[in-house]
Amino acid sequence: MTSTPRTFVDEKHADQRWHERSWAYQLRPFRGMLHDVRRRLPWYLSDWTTAFHKANLYRVLAASLRMFFLNLAPAVSYLLDMNRRTGGTYGINEVLLASALPLVVFSIFSVQPLTIVGVTGLINLFNYTNYDIVTRYEGVDYLQFQAWMLIWAAIFHILGAIFNFCDFTRFITDMTSTTFGLYVGVIYIQKGIELLVFEFSSSAVDGWLAVLVAVLFTVIVYLVERAGQASPVPFWLRKFIWDYGFICGIIFFAGFVHIPGHLKDANLSKLPITKAFFPSTERSWVVPFWELSGKWVAVAIPFGFLLTLLFYFDHNVSSLMAQARHFPVERPAGFHWDFFLLGITTLVSGILGLPAPNGLVPQAPVHTESLSVMKLVQVDGEEREIHTTTSGTGPTQMKVVRTRVVEQRVSHLVMGLLTLGTMTRPLLVVLGLMPRALFAGIFILVGWASIEGNPIIHNSLFLLRERRTVSLDHPLLSVPKKQIAKFLSAQWFVFGASVAISQTVAAIGFPLIFIALIPVRYALLPRWFTERELALLDAPTANAPDVLQSIGGELLEINTDRKLRSGDATPKAPADVEVVAMEDGSMAPVVHSEDVVAGVGSAR
Amino acid sequence: MTSTPRTFVDEKHADQRWHERSWAYQLRPFRGMLHDVRRRLPWYLSDWTTAFHKANLYRVLAASLRMFFLNLAPAVSYLLDMNRRTGGTYGINEVLLASALPLVVFSIFSVQPLTIVGVTGLINLFNYTNYDIVTRYEGVDYLQFQAWMLIWAAIFHILGAIFNFCDFTRFITDMTSTTFGLYVGVIYIQKGIELLVFEFSSSAVDGWLAVLVAVLFTVIVYLVERAGQASPVPFWLRKFIWDYGFICGIIFFAGFVHIPGHLKDANLSKLPITKAFFPSTERSWVVPFWELSGKWVAVAIPFGFLLTLLFYFDHNVSSLMAQARHFPVERPAGFHWDFFLLGITTLVSGILGLPAPNGLVPQAPVHTESLSVMKLVQVDGEEREIHTTTSGTGPTQMKVVRTRVVEQRVSHLVMGLLTLGTMTRPLLVVLGLMPRALFAGIFILVGWASIEGNPIIHNSLFLLRERRTVSLDHPLLSVPKKQIAKFLSAQWFVFGASVAISQTVAAIGFPLIFIALIPVRYALLPRWFTERELALLDAPTANAPDVLQSIGGELLEINTDRKLRSGDATPKAPADVEVVAMEDGSMAPVVHSEDVVAGVGSAR
């Protein structure tokens, strides 16, 4: 398309391996941020112009529309929960602004505009748990406390970015990220069911109808998207379903409940809306955070720290997903700069009293997916290794290949502008016509997709599977069943613990669990598993060259202290693991190990 | 298992081809019935003893239980419709007796005990249409009229059996039987929806809950059975789901609506039951048919004739399905004798005022399927040609093979005894706890399975499919798209016409449409299609050697008047067509062209 700009290389340290670098280099202030910007700057102009190339424009617009829905629908779903559980502090206007703000900021100022930032389920959990805690005490204003928590978090973010802490994301492995993916999926479904249970509080009719709408939405969209992957479906129709299946489902069911007769009579509860552009409660946009007592300002510090841990993990994993190796992404990543930018949006959210946005684990990779140009080609061995998605189940083994990703900033900005547009009165009224039950369905659909495609599930099924039905080149066949079971038990245990803790007031501590898993992975697991086993069961999540450029150079050979020292570091693990995921693809064909954490297999 | 008895062969005519035989031979009274019995008699004792062999007993019991549910559930579903539309004339006791009677009679006295006979949706259509017609006039008793219709029908049946009319079933081709299968599937779903609409008449809560129960039942059983075909599922679990998935679904949802709370409060309408063993209305079991005026006795003649056409088609197609070539059935068929027996049960039904039972298109082949011994083997080319079901979608291409069918009479009789048992008070009360909504779900599930697996659907999808995704050895590739489209349009037109006519008072005329298709097939189609095209698009439904033995000898080479005369008649067509169905199997892997009409793909 455009000629490739010469990329900045940190010449002095380019030949140094990660473990050879000094701590002074590692902690040198602004080193990461500066390098990130330097690397990306030469691409900046074409980041805008590429979008308008006639080969790209349709893709950009289709992706904008799809991501607008996929970003906003779960955010609004969480709002319904957050609104109820924080005494109405957060309303639709706050969520819309908290969605629009980072979209505009990140599309223009980020290094890597593929990563979508928005309101997640975990910030919802954080917010209402804080509400439960804070409202136990007299004389403290919840929003002011939230503001301070976010101010502290912003400071930690900025410090983390300055001192290159994002380099450590290279240590995140699939053990952590897939457990996190499963956790997010289950929490989504739980929220969906809670929303539906709440619908019974007005009347049983509304309750049953709400359940019905949610079930029908989930099942129909799921089955249509499943059917849309089958080989008898013409390729143009498959592409259409990928792009618009989810959107059509939402529009249809939003209208469905307004059909006159029994449906309209039931008068399902709709999304509560308030005056456009104003905060949902009687307040000005700026939270008077300066009124909070010093004691509570101090109390907010650990909360801000926990939030920073959450965002560090959640945002960087999202970003890794959006640039995973199976996407043919070519433009450089920028973890440090983007984390700094996240600090800024966190600060602004605190001051304006918004739920703080961060990287969206499910949506970020779907953005890249939506921007991928797909092609249907015959399987003939040669192309097999790069960027395949579906292996057609048909007799001729056609497969869908991602030829390239339309990398640009326009789709991101358009999403932001659409979201801003939704804040105006006319579109707000349209939102107000949507039944809550539909949002419950969205929860269940997105959550289920995350569970269905998760490697923990696939590997657990692998254990149940009869050996004779397994392909002889299945990588896991070389790992003893007992070892797989041991590894999975650890994952299931952590998963169970994090779900359990989320139900208590200790919920805000859950990021600690996931962060703690990272050192555990390097300290304990090598005692229980061989190198080869870990390479097959637990590859590093950061595995694409463009990503590694930003976070410290070469691909990390995990669990190979000896090897790292001896300098023998051929990156073989990730390729293997990708095959694992392809294999399991027989059940959910499009899903890759990396997608899996993404968790919107069905929404794509 | 047992030594194969020497089978009776009609020596004098064994070498004669169908078209070489004289009309005198064709119409020779009792010829077919006598030969049927002679052929089967040597097997009769082992038909009973085989079941108790320890290698067979579990299969026999599992099949009995599954078929008991699969036979009774749709019958009861239709009863709900029939009861409402005939002013309560037919109730649960009539349907139970009408189900138990033929089960006991056919298990003991039939030649081919694989064919299940029971209450179908089409007799429901017949009965309520008659009710609409008869109740327009004064001074005629509906049940007496029905009795006479069935008496006449019985006479036509017996005459048909005596004069060997079942020989003509060899002319039935897939064009007719698959159109009929699609028609039955759509009528099932329509009835399911009608039942649900009716639930709204008490209150909206009940209505929505009923819809929810029906949707959940359908979707869950469907998805579990789909998932149960996936290769990661261990084979023993797959077999369990085949045998008990449907039963577990029914039992779970029958209990589900009784869970205290919102579910129990809604008080969904249940199955209406009456006093055990007595007719549902105030009458004695014997209908005083002798009281009907002569005029109406005469009017009943054409009705009886139409019913005979329906049963001739429906029963014989069921029987063909139950013994299709892809089942390794070895014991001889007996179309003539069994049709005579059907005349007897029709007569008894008329006199007792029961809905007349006949061969069940969806259930008959499932009985054979349930009795099949399945084995998981590796695909290695050799075994490929015979009796395969699923081609595992897994990487190693494992496939499920039917090694043999446990042919016996015990499962059939046990079903009959279980049905009789259900007529007793305690089990009747259990039936009375089942929500109507569940039966609506059964309608939709069974109907959808029939539609999903239908070759009309598959061939229509084939037209939409891109050439490059089609295997090069797909048989339909040799037929011009235009010709396939023409053939399908004819099928869709007939389908549309029969669905349309079913909605009117002319509904009882619909058997004429299907019967008329048979001569049309031989008179008109050869003008529009080449021989090769017809062989690929429209094979004869009767294609198994044991079946052909009963209905006239060698496999019919369709549309080959010249060939028939020249004596060149290699039976190549059916093998080809089976490949067609296998091919489309990429979408619905278990379904065969023959199963397809069966229409319970998902219930297996």
Side-chain angles (χ1 to χ4, degrees):
Chain A
M1 222 54 53
T2 49
S3 61
T4 308
R6 226 183 113 250
T7 303
F8 159 82
V9 177
D10 178 10
E11 308 247 335
K12 202 175 147 196
H13 296 86
D15 297 335
Q16 273 185 330
R17 306 190 68 78
W18 164 267
H19 60 281
E20 295 164 349
R21 291 179 191 148
S22 65
W23 277 100
Y25 177 78
Q26 176 57 42
L27 294 175
R28 186 195 299 166
F30 299 104
R31 190 252 307 155
M33 283 165 65
L34 202 67
H35 288 184
D36 282 351
V37 172
R38 275 210 200 155
R39 257 191 300 267
R40 186 74 180 202
L41 215 50
W43 302 81
Y44 193 77
L45 189 64
S46 89
D47 273 354
W48 294 103
T49 53
T50 307
F52 298 99
H53 191 287
K54 75 177 190 310
N56 297 336
L57 196 57
Y58 172 75
R59 189 91 326 266
V60 169
L61 293 180
S64 308
L65 201 60
R66 179 180 180 193
M67 290 310 298
F68 166 68
F69 275 84
L70 200 59
N71 186 33
L72 206 58
V76 171
S77 308
Y78 273 117
L79 179 265
L80 289 172
D81 195 52
M82 209 189 309
N83 184 270
R84 189 164 62 82
R85 287 173 172 246
T86 60
T89 307
Y90 297 108
I92 186 78
N93 293 350
E94 280 81 2
V95 163
L96 288 174
L97 188 54
S99 298
L101 167 75
L103 287 172
V104 173
V105 168
F106 274 78
S107 64
I108 300 175
F109 299 108
S110 74
V111 163
Q112 179 47 278
L114 287 175
T115 311
I116 298 295
V117 174
V119 177
T120 66
L122 300 175
I123 194 67
N124 169 35
L125 181 66
F126 235 88
N127 286 353
Y128 71 69
T129 310
N130 282 358
Y131 185 81
D132 289 346
I133 295 170
V134 168
T135 50
R136 289 182 192 180
Y137 301 91
E138 288 291 315
V140 48
D141 182 78
Y142 170 60
L143 262 185
Q144 290 173 18
F145 177 79
Q146 287 285 92
W148 272 105
M149 173 183 79
L150 293 176
I151 291 169
W152 287 118
I155 293 170
F156 295 131
H157 273 73
I158 293 166
L159 288 175
I162 291 174
F163 292 105
N164 317 313
F165 270 67
C166 289
D167 276 358
F168 293 99
T169 52
R170 62 200 277 96
F171 290 105
I172 297 175
T173 59
D174 285 348
M175 179 178 78
T176 317
S177 53
T178 60
T179 308
F180 184 69
L182 192 62
Y183 166 78
V184 170
V186 168
I187 294 292
Y188 265 60
I189 291 185
Q190 187 200 345
K191 288 294 153 197
I193 293 170
E194 280 179 18
L195 267 189
L196 289 178
V197 169
F198 189 68
E199 292 292 290
F200 280 95
S201 57
S202 58
S203 82
V205 194
D206 291 5
W208 290 121
L209 181 54
V211 175
L212 183 67
V213 167
V215 168
L216 283 178
F217 170 80
T218 310
V219 168
I220 291 176
V221 174
Y222 177 79
L223 288 180
V224 166
E225 293 195 327
R226 259 327 253 267
Q229 291 170 5
S231 53
V233 180
F235 192 57
W236 64 265
L237 186 57
R238 279 195 252 178
K239 282 198 282 192
F240 183 84
I241 293 174
W242 277 326
D243 282 336
Y244 304 109
F246 183 70
I247 302 177
C248 292
I250 290 183
I251 293 175
F252 175 79
F253 278 97
F256 180 72
V257 297
H258 294 279
I259 294 173
H262 283 296
L263 280 164
K264 204 173 170 64
D265 296 350
N267 201 18
L268 272 189
S269 59
K270 308 297 182 314
L271 207 59
I273 58 167
T274 51
K275 196 174 167 194
F277 293 115
F278 278 78
S280 301
T281 51
E282 283 287 323
R283 65 174 180 97
S284 68
W285 272 116
V286 174
V287 176
F289 58 91
W290 52 86
E291 290 174 2
L292 194 69
S293 68
K295 186 186 84 180
W296 281 100
V297 171
V299 168
I301 296 177
F303 286 81
F305 183 72
L306 284 174
L307 190 83
T308 308
L309 288 187
L310 169 65
F311 279 18
Y312 179 82
F313 186 80
D314 200 7
H315 184 81
N316 287 318
V317 167
S318 312
S319 202
L320 289 174
M321 302 293 114
Q323 305 163 75
R325 214 171 63 86
H326 61 274
F327 291 121
V329 171
E330 287 170 349
R331 304 194 171 193
F335 285 80
H336 307 284
W337 176 264
D338 290 355
F339 197 62
F340 166 76
L341 216 53
L342 190 66
I344 303 295
T345 56
T346 304
L347 184 67
V348 174
S349 304
I351 292 171
L352 298 185
L354 309 177
N358 75 318
L360 292 157
V361 163
Q363 287 90 333
V366 183
H367 187 215
T368 317
E369 179 92 35
S370 306
L371 288 169
S372 296
V373 177
M374 305 285 197
K375 214 178 129 190
L376 193 68
V377 300
Q378 200 120 18
V379 172
D380 54 2
E382 278 176 61
E383 292 164 290
R384 183 165 267 233
E385 49 197 333
I386 36 159
H387 312 312
T388 62
T389 353
T390 334
S391 64
T393 51
T396 38
Q397 290 289 329
M398 296 299 285
K399 61 174 180 180
V400 178
V401 192
R402 287 194 201 92
T403 53
R404 62 190 176 89
V405 174
V406 183
E407 291 182 75
Q408 37 67 47
R409 292 168 189 275
V410 173
S411 60
H412 203 146
L413 183 63
V414 169
M415 285 164 60
L417 298 179
L418 284 174
T419 311
L420 276 178
T422 313
M423 295 184 69
T424 61
R425 182 74 197 166
L427 284 178
L428 208 54
V429 170
V430 171
L431 262 191
L433 293 175
M434 294 175 75
R436 285 163 183 263
L438 180 57
F439 293 100
I442 293 171
F443 269 139
I444 298 170
L445 183 68
V446 175
W448 171 249
S450 179
I451 293 169
E452 187 184 31
N454 198 290
I456 301 181
I457 304 292
H458 285 251
N459 292 347
S460 301
L461 284 176
F462 174 80
L463 282 186
L464 287 175
R465 196 164 167 174
E466 283 166 296
R467 283 272 151 138
R468 56 185 170 148
T469 67
V470 179
S471 169
L472 291 176
D473 54 359
H474 195 299
L476 284 190
L477 277 182
S478 62
V479 182
K481 275 204 173 190
K482 210 184 109 199
Q483 292 296 87
I484 303 176
K486 213 157 71 180
F487 188 81
L488 286 173
S489 326
Q491 291 197 298
W492 282 111
F493 174 77
V494 173
F495 162 76
S498 48
V499 170
I501 207 176
S502 302
Q503 316 302 317
T504 71
V505 80
I508 52 168
F510 84 90
L512 278 175
I513 297 184
F514 288 102
I515 292 287
L517 266 183
I518 302 172
V520 164
R521 164 70 180 78
Y522 291 92
L524 293 180
L525 262 63
R527 299 188 192 179
W528 300 329
F529 298 92
T530 69
E531 206 175 293
R532 164 92 188 141
E533 283 163 9
L534 279 181
L536 289 171
L537 286 169
D538 192 29
T541 304
N543 61 5
D546 289 308
V547 165
L548 292 163
Q549 232 177 11
S550 171
I551 55 177
E554 87 284 7
L555 180 67
L556 190 71
E557 267 241 76
I558 44 171
N559 185 36
T560 46
D561 284 355
R562 281 167 291 112
K563 276 204 181 166
L564 280 180
R565 265 162 223 136
S566 71
D568 169 14
T570 29
K572 64 171 186 293
D576 280 348
V577 173
E578 189 157 79
V579 178
V580 176
M582 290 293 287
E583 256 292 286
D584 287 335
S586 63
M587 214 191 162
V590 207
V591 180
H592 274 254
S593 125
E594 290 87 351
D595 283 3
V596 141
V597 184
V600 272
S602 101
R604 80 174 47 113
Chain B
M1 221 53 57
T2 47
S3 61
T4 308
R6 228 184 110 251
T7 303
F8 159 82
V9 177
D10 179 9
E11 308 247 336
K12 200 174 148 198
H13 296 86
D15 297 334
Q16 272 186 331
R17 307 190 67 78
W18 163 268
H19 61 280
E20 293 164 351
R21 292 181 190 146
S22 64
W23 278 100
Y25 178 79
Q26 177 55 44
L27 294 175
R28 185 195 301 166
F30 299 103
R31 190 248 311 154
M33 284 165 66
L34 202 67
H35 289 184
D36 282 351
V37 173
R38 276 210 201 156
R39 256 190 301 267
R40 185 74 180 201
L41 216 49
W43 302 81
Y44 193 77
L45 189 64
S46 89
D47 273 353
W48 294 102
T49 54
T50 306
F52 298 98
H53 192 285
K54 74 177 191 313
N56 297 339
L57 196 57
Y58 173 75
R59 190 91 325 267
V60 168
L61 293 181
S64 307
L65 202 60
R66 180 179 179 194
M67 291 310 298
F68 166 67
F69 276 85
L70 199 60
N71 186 33
L72 206 57
V76 172
S77 309
Y78 273 117
L79 180 263
L80 289 172
D81 195 54
M82 209 189 309
N83 184 268
R84 190 165 61 82
R85 288 174 171 245
T86 59
T89 307
Y90 297 108
I92 186 77
N93 293 350
E94 280 82 2
V95 163
L96 288 175
L97 189 54
S99 299
L101 167 75
L103 288 172
V104 173
V105 168
F106 275 78
S107 64
I108 300 175
F109 299 107
S110 73
V111 162
Q112 178 49 276
L114 288 175
T115 312
I116 299 294
V117 175
V119 178
T120 67
L122 299 175
I123 194 69
N124 170 34
L125 181 66
F126 234 88
N127 285 354
Y128 71 68
T129 310
N130 282 358
Y131 185 81
D132 289 347
I133 294 170
V134 168
T135 50
R136 289 183 192 178
Y137 301 91
E138 289 289 317
V140 47
D141 182 79
Y142 171 59
L143 262 186
Q144 289 174 17
F145 176 79
Q146 287 284 93
W148 271 105
M149 173 182 79
L150 293 176
I151 291 168
W152 287 118
I155 293 170
F156 294 132
H157 274 72
I158 293 166
L159 287 175
I162 291 174
F163 292 104
N164 317 313
F165 270 68
C166 288
D167 275 357
F168 293 99
T169 53
R170 62 199 278 100
F171 290 105
I172 297 174
T173 60
D174 284 349
M175 180 178 79
T176 317
S177 53
T178 60
T179 308
F180 185 68
L182 192 62
Y183 166 78
V184 170
V186 168
I187 294 291
Y188 265 60
I189 291 186
Q190 187 201 346
K191 287 296 154 195
I193 293 170
E194 279 179 17
L195 267 189
L196 289 177
V197 168
F198 189 67
E199 292 293 290
F200 279 95
S201 58
S202 58
S203 82
V205 194
D206 292 3
W208 291 121
L209 180 55
V211 175
L212 183 67
V213 167
V215 168
L216 283 177
F217 171 80
T218 309
V219 167
I220 291 176
V221 174
Y222 177 79
L223 288 180
V224 166
E225 293 196 328
R226 260 327 254 266
Q229 291 169 4
S231 53
V233 180
F235 192 57
W236 63 265
L237 186 57
R238 279 195 252 176
K239 282 197 283 193
F240 183 85
I241 293 174
W242 276 327
D243 281 337
Y244 304 110
F246 182 71
I247 301 177
C248 291
I250 290 182
I251 293 175
F252 175 79
F253 279 97
F256 180 73
V257 298
H258 294 278
I259 294 173
H262 283 296
L263 279 164
K264 205 173 168 63
D265 296 351
N267 200 19
L268 272 189
S269 58
K270 309 293 182 317
L271 206 60
I273 57 168
T274 51
K275 197 175 167 192
F277 293 115
F278 279 77
S280 302
T281 50
E282 285 285 325
R283 66 173 179 97
S284 67
W285 272 117
V286 174
V287 176
F289 59 91
W290 53 86
E291 291 174 3
L292 194 69
S293 68
K295 186 185 85 180
W296 281 98
V297 171
V299 169
I301 297 178
F303 286 81
F305 184 71
L306 284 174
L307 190 83
T308 308
L309 288 187
L310 168 66
F311 279 19
Y312 178 83
F313 186 79
D314 200 8
H315 184 82
N316 287 318
V317 167
S318 313
S319 202
L320 289 174
M321 302 293 114
Q323 305 164 77
R325 214 170 64 86
H326 62 274
F327 292 121
V329 171
E330 287 170 350
R331 305 194 172 194
F335 286 79
H336 307 283
W337 176 265
D338 289 355
F339 198 62
F340 166 75
L341 217 52
L342 190 65
I344 303 296
T345 57
T346 304
L347 183 67
V348 174
S349 304
I351 292 170
L352 298 184
L354 310 176
N358 75 319
L360 292 157
V361 163
Q363 286 91 332
V366 183
H367 187 215
T368 317
E369 179 92 36
S370 306
L371 288 169
S372 296
V373 177
M374 305 285 196
K375 216 180 128 189
L376 192 69
V377 299
Q378 200 121 16
V379 172
D380 55 2
E382 278 176 61
E383 290 165 292
R384 183 164 267 231
E385 48 196 333
I386 37 159
H387 312 314
T388 63
T389 355
T390 334
S391 63
T393 50
T396 39
Q397 291 288 331
M398 296 297 286
K399 62 174 181 180
V400 179
V401 193
R402 288 194 200 94
T403 52
R404 62 192 176 88
V405 173
V406 183
E407 291 182 75
Q408 37 66 48
R409 293 168 188 275
V410 174
S411 59
H412 202 146
L413 183 63
V414 169
M415 286 165 59
L417 298 179
L418 284 174
T419 310
L420 276 178
T422 314
M423 295 185 69
T424 61
R425 182 74 197 168
L427 284 176
L428 209 52
V429 170
V430 171
L431 263 190
L433 294 174
M434 295 175 74
R436 286 162 183 263
L438 179 57
F439 293 100
I442 293 170
F443 269 139
I444 297 169
L445 183 69
V446 175
W448 170 249
S450 179
I451 293 169
E452 187 184 31
N454 198 291
I456 301 181
I457 304 291
H458 286 251
N459 291 347
S460 300
L461 284 176
F462 174 81
L463 281 186
L464 285 175
R465 196 164 166 172
E466 284 166 293
R467 283 272 153 139
R468 56 185 170 149
T469 68
V470 179
S471 170
L472 291 177
D473 54 359
H474 195 299
L476 283 190
L477 277 181
S478 62
V479 181
K481 275 204 172 191
K482 210 184 111 200
Q483 292 296 87
I484 303 177
K486 212 156 72 180
F487 187 80
L488 286 173
S489 327
Q491 290 196 299
W492 281 112
F493 174 77
V494 173
F495 162 76
S498 48
V499 169
I501 206 176
S502 303
Q503 315 302 317
T504 70
V505 82
I508 50 168
F510 84 90
L512 278 175
I513 296 182
F514 289 101
I515 293 287
L517 266 183
I518 301 172
V520 163
R521 162 70 180 79
Y522 290 91
L524 292 180
L525 261 65
R527 298 189 191 177
W528 300 329
F529 299 93
T530 69
E531 209 174 288
R532 165 93 188 141
E533 284 163 8
L534 280 181
L536 289 170
L537 287 167
D538 192 29
T541 304
N543 60 5
D546 288 308
V547 164
L548 291 163
Q549 232 177 11
S550 170
I551 55 177
E554 88 285 5
L555 181 68
L556 190 70
E557 267 241 76
I558 43 170
N559 185 36
T560 46
D561 283 355
R562 278 168 295 112
K563 277 205 181 167
L564 282 179
R565 266 162 222 138
S566 71
D568 169 14
T570 27
K572 65 171 185 290
D576 280 349
V577 172
E578 189 156 78
V579 178
V580 176
M582 290 292 289
E583 256 292 287
D584 288 336
S586 64
M587 215 191 162
V590 208
V591 180
H592 274 254
S593 125
E594 290 87 351
D595 283 2
V596 142
V597 183
V600 271
S602 102
R604 79 173 51 109

